[in-house]
Amino acid sequence: KQVWVETYILEPDRVGTRTIEALTDAARRGCEVVLLYDAVGGTRITEAFTKPLRDAGGRIFIFNPLLKWKRINPLLRRDHRKIIVIDGHIGFCGGVNFSEDYGSTRHGNGRFHDAHVKVEGPCVRDLAAVFASSIWMASDDETNLPLPQRAAKAGETFVQVLASRGREGRRAIQRSIRLTIRHAAQHCWITTPYFIPPPSLVRAINR
């Protein structure tokens, strides 16, 4: 019924082409398909590349275009989120972009290693809300997407969706990470492409 995709990098290579083809197929069978990619991360994307998806009824948004008369945010404000919401109850988020550089050696060139997680349950609605906020910022007409209903069935894992944009929300995320590490009983798994921890996080890890 629904496929929402938000990414920073979308390349017109093997991975990007297969992605657009899959989204186009979904739109043709009646799914609501919404694609949002960043203008800098998608500089190689042309209208011809995404035309099949548009013709099939998919909606495409470009975050913060580089053309001055279309730009609605400061030039350096980019959208680095990678979110997928499927039918309102399955979500994906993490660091993987749609590019051969981010694909394994089977699907790409294995140049980068990034982690992605699949989540289900009530937290998916929170992930959808983050996606909807990005669409609102990327749309000239302030498009509002109706959020899916929160799933009634919850699992046994506590999941917290925290969002930041620029400085907004950053302290809440750092505080949540510190508290989680402080209360860890068995292990801490950390994956990040840029590890420049503030002193408070270093102290929490050492303790």
Side-chain angles (χ1 to χ4, degrees), residues 124-198:
V124 176
R125 190 178 191 276
D126 299 325
L127 205 59
V130 176
F131 178 94
S133 70
S134 296
I135 291 293
W136 186 84
M137 293 191 66
S139 174
D140 292 334
D141 58 0
E142 298 183 352
T143 300
N144 291 310
L145 293 178
L147 296 181
Q149 292 184 345
R150 191 177 298 276
K153 184 179 179 181
E156 299 179 354
T157 302
F158 176 76
V159 178
Q160 187 177 27
V161 176
L162 297 172
S164 71
R165 191 176 296 280
R167 294 181 177 274
E168 181 182 356
R170 186 176 62 181
R171 289 188 177 183
I173 292 177
Q174 292 179 352
R175 183 167 58 249
S176 177
I177 292 173
R178 290 198 305 270
L179 289 174
T180 302
I181 290 175
R182 288 174 185 172
H183 291 87
Q186 296 178 339
H187 57 256
C188 294
W189 294 347
I190 301 173
T191 175
T192 175
Y194 309 109
F195 192 58
I196 310 175

Side-chain angles (χ1 to χ4, degrees), residues 24-111:
T24 301
D25 289 343
R28 286 173 178 163
R29 64 176 182 263
C31 290
E32 176 198 37
V33 176
V34 182
L35 169 64
L36 168 65
Y37 65 89
D38 186 86
V40 170
T43 51
R44 296 176 59 202
I45 298 301
T46 63
E47 289 190 12
F49 181 72
T50 56
K51 187 178 185 299
L53 177 55
R54 293 183 189 275
D55 291 345
R59 301 165 66 189
I60 301 175
F61 297 88
I62 303 175
F63 188 88
N64 203 9
L66 300 179
L67 298 176
K68 184 176 181 180
W69 56 88
K70 287 187 177 181
R71 195 167 65 239
I72 59 175
N73 289 301
L75 180 62
L76 294 180
R77 174 169 282 188
R78 310 309 334 160
D79 181 9
H80 286 274
R81 292 171 177 167
K82 296 95 179 176
I83 295 174
I84 302 176
V85 177
I86 306 293
D87 290 344
H89 64 265
I90 298 175
F92 294 88
C93 64
V96 179
N97 288 285
F98 294 102
S99 163
E100 290 183 17
D101 287 342
Y102 290 82
S104 63
T105 52
R106 176 183 175 187
H107 300 288
N109 56 38
R111 183 179 180 187

